[in-house]
Amino acid sequence: QVQLQESGPGLVKPSETLSLTCIVSGGSINSSYWSWIRQPPGKGLEWIGYFYYIGNTNYNPSLKSRVSISVDTSKNQFSLKLSSVTVEDTAIYYCARINWGHDAFDIWGQGTMVTVSS
Amino acid sequence: EIVLTQSPATLSLSPGERATLSCRASQSVNSSLAWYQQKPGQAPRLLIYGASNRATDIPARFSGSGSGTDFTLTISSLEPEDFAVYYCQQRSKWPPFTFGPGTTVDIK
């Protein structure tokens, strides 16, 4: 059974780069598309971007200039980098698997809280 | 960009009652509409995909309907564990994914 686990710093300073990693266990990262989604405290969900291991990426236009998603197939993990962060980027960040047959996110990590503060 | 609107924002009901949640899209998404349940401190869980198909291990009391721009999630008889926030999500050409603002189902 595929499971996802996010990790990374819980506190990032304004203007710096947020970096998170999602480890995929119970399955190969090469077998699916993977995504990052975030949720500001007490608010709704925002899709950040997705990738496929051969290099196909797609980002939310509202974040595209600051976002990068990359993969390390040898470690079965993928990463998110979000540059020039502000307090508006404070959120729970989730990694998730895209099921294109369902047009939906069928497996989610537990999420990791990132606070942007000096 | 396709915008999803959910109503009502909050639904106050008692266990055993029927819950009807609405999701409206600003333009047609055909049947590419999913529903998620989120409980406090937890990640969202996929309930319904393709507007009307239950995801794996989702109880039969959850059902989805609709196509085009108007969709409904129905919980036929609320169980205590069903009190949560529900989000709809659509898949379209660009941007590929957007979520609705959510409906909170709380205990009356």
Side-chain angles (χ1 to χ4, degrees), chain B residues 17-95:
Chain B
E17 290 193 294
R18 182 184 188 90
T20 302
L21 289 67
S22 174
C23 177
R24 177 165 291 179
S26 58
Q27 55 187 285
S28 176
V29 299
N30 298 310
S31 294
S32 294
L33 194 287
W35 291 93
Y36 299 84
Q37 176 193 68
Q38 187 177 35
K39 297 179 182 179
Q42 296 184 17
R45 177 176 70 146
L46 177 64
L47 297 176
I48 301 288
Y49 64 91
S52 61
N53 302 286
R54 276 190 302 276
T56 303
D57 295 332
I58 300 303
R61 63 181 182 274
F62 292 93
S63 64
S65 63
S67 66
T69 60
D70 290 299
F71 301 87
T72 300
L73 174 69
T74 302
I75 310 171
S76 59
S77 179
L78 283 163
E79 297 288 339
E81 62 268 27
D82 298 337
F83 292 92
V85 181
Y86 293 84
Y87 293 97
C88 57
Q89 167 252 309
Q90 65 83 26
R91 216 284 276 186
S92 61
K93 285 186 177 180
W94 187 256

Side-chain angles (χ1 to χ4, degrees), chain A residues 39-56:
Chain A
Q39 184 173 36
K43 296 187 177 180
L45 300 160
E46 179 181 34
W47 170 72
I48 297 172
Y50 72 69
F51 86 96
Y52 189 53
Y53 78 102
I54 58 173
N56 180 14

Side-chain angles (χ1 to χ4, degrees), chain A residues 17-69:
Chain A
T17 296
L18 177 160
S19 296
L20 297 174
T21 296
C22 179
I23 297 174
V24 178
S25 59
S28 172
I29 200 167
N30 298 344
S31 64
S32 298
Y33 280 69
W34 308 91
S35 193
W36 287 98
I37 296 160
R38 69 180 183 178
Q39 184 173 36
K43 296 187 177 180
L45 300 160
E46 179 181 34
W47 170 72
I48 297 172
Y50 72 69
F51 86 96
Y52 189 53
Y53 78 102
I54 58 173
N56 180 14
T57 56
N58 213 340
Y59 302 129
N60 189 319
S62 68
L63 299 169
K64 187 175 182 178
S65 62
R66 300 193 292 129
V67 172
S68 174
I69 299 176

